[in-house]
Amino acid sequence: MKHLYNLLLVGVFVCCVQSLVLAQQKLDPANYSTVDNTPNSPSTPTGGPGTTTISPEYNEIGLWWTGASGSAWGGGMRQTSQLGGEPIAGRSASWTVNVPPGKSGVYLIYNYVLQAANNASNVYYTLKYEFSNKIQDSIRHDLRRSAITFASVGLGSWVPLMIDSLSVGNYYITVGADSLSGSAIMRADAVRIMRSTVTHADLEFGRRTRDGFDSVRVGEVWTDAPLGTVTFKQIPLFNLGSQPLQVTNIYATTSYSRWIIQLPDNGSFPLVIQPGAKVNVSIGFRPFEEENIVDTLVIVSNDSLELESRIPISGNGINYNFILNASLTNEPHYNAPFDNLGNPDRPQIIQTGAWSPSGTGISAFPYPIAGGNLQGTFTFDAVASTEYRFKLPDSVNGQPGSSGNYFIEHGAIPFTSNSDIAQVTIIPAFSTDTIRTSYNQSGLITPPFFYALANKPIHLNQGDWTSVKFYRTVALNAVLRADLLRIRKIPTGATIAATPQLNFGNVSIIPAGCQRNAEDSG
């Protein structure tokens, strides 16, 4: 499936041999095929009820619109809404991919959409053979995994979804929405199937860039990780080869103490992946101080064409912080103090007026808990409020006491031109003063993902409730929104978490084994 990059000739034979051993693989275009959505022509239908057959290779169910973007594959895409905000359950789009004679075998299935903060976060993909009434494979997927940068809109990436054995003939790959998919925008652009022709183990992993699919893996980024915690991401490893893949080590090349490698079921090396199988490996980032870490993850295996596979990894650590989530669907807070059932000091979200969940009016921040922030909240009421109440912890980073200066920051919600000006009051614990401020919720640009309220640090005290209330008493625009609120401590000196604690209550860890594709790849 792959061949080696061309290597610069060197004068010493030993050096040449070492370069070959450490070389990265390059995919062979002869071993993959791609199906786009529509022909991307001006006559493309704008959507309608029932089934819309657009081409022999692509059709839709439900209402869809055409979107044009230079970040799309082929210049155009299809999407379930122009602005978002309406439920998308029941809509779907299907691509027909063909496996020609002589090329049956194990294939890895990729999906491409541009990156957008309002991409739907909980859609499903299914795989079905043309002569079968049964779904061969399925997976839940977050379309936001296509993101490469922190821009609100931009080039996306090819994300590996499923690995399956395909026979000669046609297969239908379907993306769809159900009652769990919310009201964000489901986009359908292109899918790709790829096989391997090698007779040994063949490791494939990582997202790939739109135009550099053959050779460029997209790095993984850990954003704003708090000191003293470990934030995990899952990296699926696929074996496209015909022999068992043996992974004998996974490590970071420079700042190895900042990373934790966790194998399925807390196992040990070697990790064996059978042909046509997938295993999720958890990579955890643990900053020791406010720092930026740029590193490379190396996967050592018996893939003879790529004995040491590499992918960029990076993360930044920030001082102690926690995030409160105003969701109406019991979505979790992150790293919040006293956040356990039955604790009288547990954070509180108090709302007045009629509030509803929104899958589109959602903070663009990549939430540290996988699937932990799929919806924001909104109201049309002229008089309404959302109040966040919390108590500071008894200690921070292992040191007693937590009173000090903090930034209180609201999570920016992009793509919300109909949002109102939010009035805000902040009442710190044991304070007789009320801090009053406001901000315009419309047209916010991300990044940054959080904006400081009152544009200054605020002194907070431990021991009693602090209140932060978003409200309006007159409706100037249609919608008032609320989602994430971050409370971030300002360092008073050198802040180092010398012995990071594994705080598994604050991260999402999904046990993974050599199962099929039931779990999402991101």
Side-chain angles (χ1 to χ4, degrees):
M1 177 189 66
K2 308 168 183 175
H3 57 80
L4 296 175
Y5 280 121
N6 292 325
L7 300 172
L8 294 175
L9 294 177
V10 294
V12 181
F13 175 76
V14 173
C15 294
C16 183
V17 171
Q18 184 179 23
S19 296
L20 286 172
V21 169
L22 300 179
Q24 297 293 286
Q25 300 179 47
K26 187 174 182 180
L27 304 183
D28 186 349
N31 288 313
Y32 60 78
S33 61
T34 307
V35 180
D36 202 354
N37 58 89
T38 73
N40 295 317
S41 64
S43 61
T44 297
T46 58
T51 300
T52 303
T53 300
I54 297 177
S55 75
E57 297 180 326
Y58 179 82
N59 64 80
E60 299 168 345
I61 293 177
L63 191 62
W64 289 76
W65 280 262
T66 295
S69 172
S71 297
W73 176 261
M77 61 190 168
R78 299 285 285 172
Q79 58 190 53
T80 53
S81 175
Q82 292 174 304
L83 299 174
E86 74 245 33
I88 58 176
R91 304 186 205 183
S92 65
S94 295
W95 299 262
T96 301
V97 297
N98 178 261
V99 178
K103 293 189 176 182
S104 62
V106 174
Y107 280 79
L108 187 54
I109 299 171
Y110 287 84
N111 180 69
Y112 179 85
V113 294
L114 57 74
Q115 77 170 45
N118 60 359
N119 272 341
S121 58
N122 192 17
V123 299
Y124 64 81
Y125 282 80
T126 62
L127 174 71
K128 182 176 175 292
Y129 188 47
E130 63 177 332
F131 298 122
S132 174
N133 293 324
K134 296 181 179 180
I135 292 175
Q136 178 172 328
D137 204 354
S138 65
I139 187 172
R140 307 292 305 196
H141 180 60
D142 184 347
L143 291 175
R144 296 174 301 180
R145 274 287 290 157
S146 66
I148 298 178
T149 68
F150 293 136
S152 296
V153 178
L155 282 174
S157 60
W158 290 99
V159 180
L161 298 178
M162 300 177 281
I163 185 168
D164 284 277
S165 180
L166 305 186
S167 302
V168 173
N170 291 327
Y171 283 82
Y172 308 125
I173 300 172
T174 299
V175 59
D178 54 20
S179 60
L180 301 177
S181 301
S183 55
I185 297 177
M186 179 169 58
R187 290 182 167 91
D189 197 344
V191 295
R192 175 170 286 170
I193 60 172
M194 180 178 71
R195 71 184 189 121
S196 174
T197 57
V198 301
T199 57
H200 50 74
D202 192 347
L203 170 65
E204 184 55 48
F205 73 101
R207 301 171 296 148
R208 292 180 175 269
T209 60
R210 186 192 70 172
D211 301 324
F213 180 83
D214 294 353
S215 57
V216 184
R217 289 190 178 106
V218 176
E220 296 293 340
V221 180
W222 283 253
T223 305
D224 289 358
L227 308 188
T229 65
V230 183
T231 305
F232 283 90
K233 284 190 175 188
Q234 289 194 337
I235 308 296
L237 307 182
F238 303 89
N239 182 7
L240 267 179
S242 56
Q243 297 295 323
L245 176 72
Q246 294 191 30
V247 178
T248 54
N249 197 10
I250 301 175
Y251 64 92
T253 58
T254 55
S255 304
Y256 63 88
S257 61
R258 301 305 198 267
W259 306 96
I260 291 176
I261 312 301
Q262 188 176 83
L263 301 185
D265 302 319
N266 293 317
S268 58
F269 294 110
L271 175 64
V272 179
I273 306 175
Q274 296 300 322
K278 154 190 147 179
V279 167
N280 288 328
V281 173
S282 296
I283 311 299
F285 176 58
R286 56 172 182 179
F288 286 9
E289 57 187 328
E290 292 208 331
E291 59 185 352
N292 293 303
I293 299 295
V294 178
D295 215 324
T296 300
L297 188 72
V298 179
I299 301 175
V300 183
S301 75
N302 64 333
D303 181 346
S304 60
L305 291 182
E306 194 174 16
L307 294 175
E308 294 188 358
S309 304
R310 298 168 183 265
I311 188 171
I313 54 175
S314 61
N316 74 292
I318 62 174
N319 198 33
Y320 172 77
N321 70 93
F322 57 93
I323 301 174
L324 302 183
N325 194 329
S327 168
L328 299 176
T329 55
N330 297 318
E331 292 179 337
H333 305 308
Y334 174 66
N335 203 35
F338 313 115
D339 187 23
N340 51 288
L341 289 173
N343 193 322
D345 295 331
R346 192 180 191 192
Q348 301 173 0
I349 305 295
I350 302 172
Q351 294 183 315
T352 64
W355 292 77
S356 301
S358 170
T360 303
I362 181 176
S363 169
F365 177 66
Y367 205 58
I369 301 176
N373 188 45
L374 304 181
Q375 295 181 327
T377 62
F378 74 98
T379 182
F380 291 111
D381 287 2
V383 178
S385 67
T386 289
E387 180 184 9
Y388 305 78
R389 300 184 78 237
F390 60 90
K391 290 185 177 182
L392 293 181
D394 298 325
S395 63
V396 170
N397 295 332
Q399 301 297 318
S402 59
S403 298
N405 290 327
Y406 288 76
F407 282 114
I408 299 179
E409 305 165 311
H410 68 89
I413 303 174
F415 303 111
T416 53
S417 59
N418 60 343
S419 298
D420 212 336
I421 296 175
Q423 304 297 321
V424 183
T425 59
I426 302 171
I427 306 176
F430 302 115
S431 175
T432 58
D433 296 328
T434 298
I435 300 170
R436 300 183 184 277
T437 186
S438 63
Y439 73 97
N440 190 344
Q441 295 187 323
S442 291
L444 291 175
I445 297 174
T446 56
F449 296 114
F450 289 94
Y451 287 75
L453 295 172
N455 294 313
K456 64 178 183 179
I458 297 171
H459 188 84
L460 300 181
N461 300 300
Q462 68 183 93
D464 205 354
W465 295 99
T466 290
S467 167
V468 180
K469 181 185 288 187
F470 294 71
Y471 70 96
R472 69 179 178 186
T473 56
V474 176
L476 301 178
N477 284 299
V479 177
L480 181 69
R481 300 183 185 273
D483 192 11
L484 302 182
L485 185 76
R486 184 169 74 179
I487 294 86
R488 176 166 61 95
K489 195 174 191 300
I490 299 175
T492 54
T495 303
I496 299 178
T499 309
Q501 302 279 321
L502 286 180
N503 193 342
F504 292 109
N506 298 332
V507 299
S508 176
I509 301 174
I510 303 173
C514 293
Q515 69 272 32
R516 300 289 297 170
N517 301 300
E519 295 168 359
D520 196 354
S521 56

